[in-house]
Amino acid sequence: MATASVAFKSREDHRKQLELEEARKAGLAPAEVDEDGKEINPHIPQYMSSAPWYLNAERPSLKHQRKWKSDPNYTKSWYDRGAKIYQAEKYRKGACENCGAMTHDAKSCMDRPRKLGAKWTGKNIAPDEKVEQFELDYDGKRDRWNGYDAASYAHIIERYEARDEARKKYLKDQQLKKLEEKNNKEDEERGDSEDEDFEDALKVDEAKVDESKQMDFAKVEKRVRTTGGGSTGTVRNLRIREDTAKYLLNLDVNSAHYDPKTRSMREDPLPDMDPNEKFYAGDNQNRVSGQALEFKQLNIHAWEAFDKGHDVHMQAAPSQAELLYKNYKVNKEKLKSQTKEDIMEKYGNAASEEILPRELLLGQSEREVEYDCAGRIVKGQEMSLPRSKYEEDVYINNHTTVWGSWWKDHQWGYRCCKQTIRNSYCTGAAGIEAAEASADLMKANIARKELAEDTHAPVEERRLATWGTEVPDDLVLDEQKLAEALKKEDERRREVRDERKRKYNVKYNDEVTPEEMEAYRMKKVLHDDPMRDFLH
């Protein structure tokens, strides 16, 4: 970067130059422009494209490194929307057949299609539109706001301002209306007095005060890098300055903790105070009351619905979750009321003042009814007997009594045949006798079995066979053959029998003699024998 010393003719010139720079920074003086008429930003160094004002402009510079010639054909103007240039009185050849304008054809016409176009009627000829052609530069082609008129947004601002004004006026009217109703109600309950009238007048005057003047209540503050919001977060100041701060309610060191960073005090600073006189009960009180509790229940309902298979998510679709919760509460109330009505319809309402008839209370009445021989009512009114939802006096499978007319040994049955099987056929008196004989026989068998268990029979000692079967009485082992069998068993144990090493014409003898079985038993190691280590 090139540096140069600045030389002024006098101190007065230097002072004027400094004042001009300060005025330009404050916006009180026109900005400095370059050779092309463009404004020079004093915060951006200009030494790469144009020489500073304090350098000698006659020396070589870096002006050749930028495009300093501008194309005169390029323009930043835009189309004149809705402009008309000529209004014809009769149809012209080559004009639009629908509206009669020369600047477009019938295919590109934006007017309403006429039943008979201007070509055939010659009436209501539309004026010609103003057609313009612009040659935009590189920036003009890519400027998304090119041709935008900022004044067109003024009607939107006016509409929102009018809505806000109407809303404020409506809220103020509602507030005054509620206050007047409250004052009228209080006047009716307790007589009018001069002091009360004066206080009510003051309340009305306070309600009429503009919201912007009420203790900075409507003031919106910006929080930067705080827990309440980011750099763009805003919060409304809802605390009146006359209220006592949280940390001043209880000056005890061991009282509720106050976090100055988040301005929160979760616990109750005055737990022993009367709840009716308490103004602040801690931040946790807000979590279990009001809309916070409803929001908590809404979250719980969304979780339970998701666990049961419903595609609902509180953060992804809060409106859907709230709508489902409302429908759930409505259906729950309907089901609850329907169940209550069904129970009251079936069993009656004991809390009601209606006196129940004696027929329902006692099941009988003293009303006299006379019948003739055919069963028709002669005098009085016929009483309808209450009927059950179960079948009555229906005899199945040849039974003469109903199921449940007989009880024995904790079992229901039929009294006609004394059977305890529901779908059995009736056997009458013969079935009763057979059942009694079977019961007597069973009792006799049980008694005989108990008597046999009391007298134990002598147990004969049987010597088991050496190879797993009972030993016959005439079994005699040859001592010489037993010794040879023991030697063969020792050789067999030492020998490794392998089918792959057997000769072609060698065959094993699988016949076992009593001596060989006795030798195998004597040589066999019993793993459950505690003396097996002392056998060999």
Side-chain angles (χ1 to χ4, degrees):
M1 177 178 177
T3 58
S5 61
V6 182
F8 296 97
K9 294 181 180 180
S10 63
R11 290 184 177 181
E12 187 66 22
D13 296 341
H14 188 197
R15 185 181 62 78
K16 289 182 179 180
Q17 185 63 31
L18 293 177
E19 291 178 355
L20 181 60
E21 291 180 1
E22 294 294 334
R24 284 172 179 170
K25 291 180 181 179
L28 302 177
E32 186 179 0
V33 296
D34 56 4
E35 299 175 359
D36 297 336
K38 297 182 178 180
E39 182 180 348
I40 297 177
N41 191 344
H43 302 288
I44 300 177
Q46 304 290 331
Y47 52 82
M48 291 300 295
S49 60
S50 60
W53 58 272
Y54 51 81
L55 292 181
N56 191 357
E58 297 178 355
R59 295 183 180 180
S61 65
L62 300 178
K63 187 177 181 180
H64 63 280
Q65 294 187 1
R66 69 184 182 93
K67 185 179 180 181
W68 57 278
K69 288 185 179 181
S70 60
D71 195 345
N73 296 327
Y74 288 150
T75 178
K76 290 186 177 180
S77 58
W78 199 246
Y79 301 100
D80 190 2
R81 301 177 184 272
K84 310 294 181 181
I85 54 176
Y86 178 71
Q87 175 69 51
E89 296 180 357
K90 63 179 181 178
Y91 181 77
R92 296 159 292 177
K93 185 178 180 180
C96 176
E97 297 179 357
N98 185 43
C99 66
M102 286 290 294
T103 52
H104 62 269
D105 54 359
K107 187 176 182 181
S108 304
C109 184
M110 300 298 293
D111 287 359
R112 179 183 61 83
R114 304 181 184 180
K115 188 175 182 181
L116 290 176
K119 179 179 179 181
W120 294 276
T121 60
K123 298 178 182 179
N124 299 327
I125 305 298
D128 299 340
E129 295 91 353
K130 184 179 180 181
V131 180
E132 297 177 284
Q133 297 290 337
F134 298 111
E135 188 176 356
L136 301 175
D137 56 357
Y138 182 85
D139 295 334
K141 293 178 181 179
R142 290 157 180 81
D143 187 6
R144 57 186 299 197
W145 297 101
N146 193 2
Y148 175 74
D149 186 10
S152 62
Y153 194 73
H155 69 281
I156 299 178
I157 298 176
E158 293 175 359
R159 185 180 66 182
Y160 276 88
E161 288 179 352
R163 189 191 68 174
D164 293 341
E165 291 295 333
R167 178 177 173 272
K168 290 180 181 178
K169 184 178 180 181
Y170 175 76
L171 293 177
K172 185 64 65 178
D173 295 340
Q174 293 293 327
Q175 185 178 4
L176 292 172
K177 185 177 179 181
K178 290 181 180 179
L179 189 58
E180 290 176 358
E181 292 177 355
K182 183 178 179 181
N183 294 337
N184 295 333
K185 187 176 180 180
E186 291 178 356
D187 293 342
E188 292 177 359
E189 293 178 355
R190 53 188 181 182
D192 299 335
S193 62
E194 295 181 359
D195 297 338
E196 292 177 356
D197 293 341
F198 181 71
E199 291 178 0
D200 295 341
L202 290 178
K203 291 180 181 179
V204 174
D205 293 339
E206 290 179 0
K208 292 181 179 179
V209 178
D210 189 14
E211 292 182 357
S212 60
K213 299 178 182 179
Q214 291 184 358
M215 296 287 187
D216 296 335
F217 183 76
K219 184 179 179 182
V220 177
E221 298 178 352
K222 288 187 177 181
R223 290 186 177 180
V224 182
R225 298 186 184 94
T226 62
T227 56
S231 59
T232 60
T234 59
V235 62
R236 188 174 294 275
N237 184 13
L238 300 178
R239 187 174 70 87
I240 302 175
R241 298 304 177 185
E242 296 178 357
D243 295 341
T244 306
K246 301 176 184 178
Y247 50 85
L248 296 178
L249 294 175
N250 191 351
L251 301 180
D252 188 3
V253 180
N254 298 325
S255 63
H257 174 70
Y258 175 76
D259 187 7
K261 185 175 182 180
T262 58
R263 299 179 184 177
S264 61
M265 181 180 287
R266 296 175 177 84
E267 298 179 2
D268 188 2
L270 300 172
D272 299 332
M273 188 177 178
D274 185 9
N276 298 326
E277 300 178 358
K278 191 180 299 183
F279 177 74
Y280 178 74
D283 294 340
N284 288 338
Q285 183 67 22
N286 299 330
R287 301 181 181 180
V288 295
S289 62
Q291 295 182 351
L293 184 60
E294 297 178 1
F295 184 73
K296 182 179 179 181
Q297 294 175 354
L298 177 59
N299 279 323
I300 294 174
H301 175 264
W303 297 336
E304 292 177 352
F306 182 78
D307 292 339
K308 293 179 181 178
H310 295 279
D311 188 10
V312 57
H313 196 277
M314 186 58 197
Q315 282 71 32
S319 301
Q320 179 189 5
E322 187 173 2
L323 181 61
L324 289 177
Y325 182 58
K326 288 183 179 179
N327 296 337
Y328 165 75
K329 291 196 295 185
V330 171
N331 295 334
K332 184 179 179 181
E333 290 296 331
K334 288 183 179 179
L335 181 60
K336 189 176 180 181
S337 60
Q338 183 66 27
T339 305
K340 183 178 179 181
E341 292 177 0
D342 294 343
I343 294 175
M344 292 176 62
E345 182 180 358
K346 184 175 182 180
Y347 299 103
N349 187 6
S352 63
E353 299 179 355
E354 298 178 359
I355 301 176
L356 297 177
R358 295 177 57 84
E359 292 82 356
L360 296 178
L361 293 175
L362 304 177
Q364 61 184 358
S365 65
E366 298 178 355
R367 190 172 301 171
E368 183 180 358
V369 182
E370 295 182 4
Y371 299 90
D372 59 358
C373 298
R376 292 186 295 269
I377 298 176
V378 177
K379 182 179 179 182
Q381 185 180 2
E382 183 181 6
M383 298 298 296
S384 59
L385 298 176
R387 298 185 59 85
S388 173
K389 67 177 181 179
Y390 303 102
E391 295 180 349
E392 296 181 359
D393 299 333
V394 177
Y395 306 109
I396 60 174
N397 298 335
N398 204 25
H399 289 284
T400 57
T401 56
V402 296
W403 168 260
S405 58
W406 185 65
W407 168 266
K408 184 179 180 181
D409 297 336
H410 303 282
Q411 288 183 343
W412 293 102
Y414 296 98
R415 187 179 60 184
C416 57
C417 57
K418 297 185 180 180
Q419 294 194 52
T420 57
I421 300 175
R422 180 80 179 265
N423 296 326
S424 62
Y425 285 89
C426 182
T427 55
I432 296 175
E433 295 176 358
E436 292 176 354
S438 176
D440 296 340
L441 181 60
M442 184 179 294
K443 291 179 181 179
N445 292 336
I446 292 173
R448 186 171 59 254
K449 183 177 180 181
E450 292 177 354
L451 183 61
E453 290 178 355
D454 294 339
T455 58
H456 298 283
V459 180
E460 297 181 358
E461 295 183 0
R462 296 184 180 181
R463 188 162 57 93
L464 298 178
T466 55
W467 57 89
T469 60
E470 294 183 357
V471 179
D473 297 335
D474 56 349
L475 179 61
V476 178
L477 295 177
D478 190 355
E479 297 294 337
Q480 185 177 1
K481 291 182 179 180
L482 181 60
E484 293 177 358
L486 289 173
K487 291 181 180 179
K488 289 182 180 180
E489 182 65 22
D490 292 338
E491 292 177 0
R492 188 187 67 80
R493 289 180 178 275
R494 288 193 297 269
E495 179 185 359
V496 180
R497 178 175 295 185
D498 192 354
E499 293 292 336
R500 294 175 296 179
K501 295 182 179 181
R502 187 172 63 124
K503 301 300 182 179
Y504 179 74
N505 55 353
V506 174
K507 294 183 179 179
Y508 292 118
N509 187 11
D510 295 333
E511 296 180 359
V512 180
T513 60
E515 289 79 10
E516 292 177 350
M517 191 63 195
E518 182 66 18
Y520 171 76
R521 186 192 64 79
M522 296 172 65
K523 294 293 184 180
K524 181 181 178 181
V525 177
L526 300 176
H527 295 281
D528 55 351
D529 188 1
M531 302 296 293
R532 64 180 183 276
D533 296 333
F534 301 97
L535 294 177
H536 304 289

